[in-house]
Amino acid sequence: MRISIILLGIIFASFLLQNIIPAYTQVLYLNPANIQIWQFFTSIFLHGGLLHLLFNSYALFAFGPALENRIGSKNFLLLFLAAGLAGNILYWLTAVVQIIPPIPALGASGAIFGIFGALAIIEPNM
């Protein structure tokens, strides 16, 4: 089974849990004011609303398999997680140096931009 489809399933399941369990989001989002190490990873799978979920999911569905076909499932998963973590670390650092206020963050946007960046390098004319 494709990793990109499995990731979509995890993201949708997580969104469902966000709407069923009141404290789910608050425990797992990236909170620069009270950082917990797992939040750098778990916040990738959360979303702030239906539109946020749909845009990120569409991008993952439309471009994920194309990249996964080119670099393989293992490398795709590593890229997705590394880009998501890098995005979260950069967000946290901007809060630490007070470029932005320390407000919580969530979403797969960093991972999605990692997919876009990798495809732009591998398939620039896509």
Side-chain angles (χ1 to χ4, degrees):
M1 183 170 233
R2 297 204 166 278
I3 294 296
S4 51
I5 302 304
I6 293 170
L7 289 169
L8 277 171
I10 293 169
I11 289 169
F12 274 96
S14 186
F15 187 72
L16 181 63
L17 290 171
Q18 283 182 260
N19 289 287
I20 294 172
I21 302 170
Y24 184 83
T25 302
Q26 290 75 20
V27 170
L28 300 178
Y29 63 24
L30 182 64
N31 185 357
N34 183 25
I35 196 70
Q36 304 296 321
I37 198 74
W38 67 80
Q39 295 171 343
F40 287 103
F41 174 74
T42 57
S43 63
I44 297 169
F45 300 97
L46 304 176
H47 285 82
L50 187 58
L51 197 57
H52 186 205
L53 172 73
L54 292 177
F55 277 122
N56 278 344
S57 296
Y58 174 74
L60 180 57
F61 180 77
F63 297 100
L67 180 60
E68 190 174 351
N69 284 339
R70 286 163 180 80
I71 66 172
S73 295
K74 180 182 174 185
N75 288 332
F76 178 81
L77 179 61
L78 291 173
L79 176 92
F80 181 88
L81 294 175
L85 290 171
N88 284 338
I89 290 168
L90 289 172
Y91 179 81
W92 173 70
L93 287 173
T94 60
V96 167
V97 298
Q98 299 178 350
I99 294 172
I100 61 165
I103 57 174
L106 45 72
S109 298
I112 298 301
F113 280 106
I115 291 170
F116 289 159
L119 276 173
I121 292 168
I122 294 170
E123 290 286 336
N125 296 321
M126 182 176 176

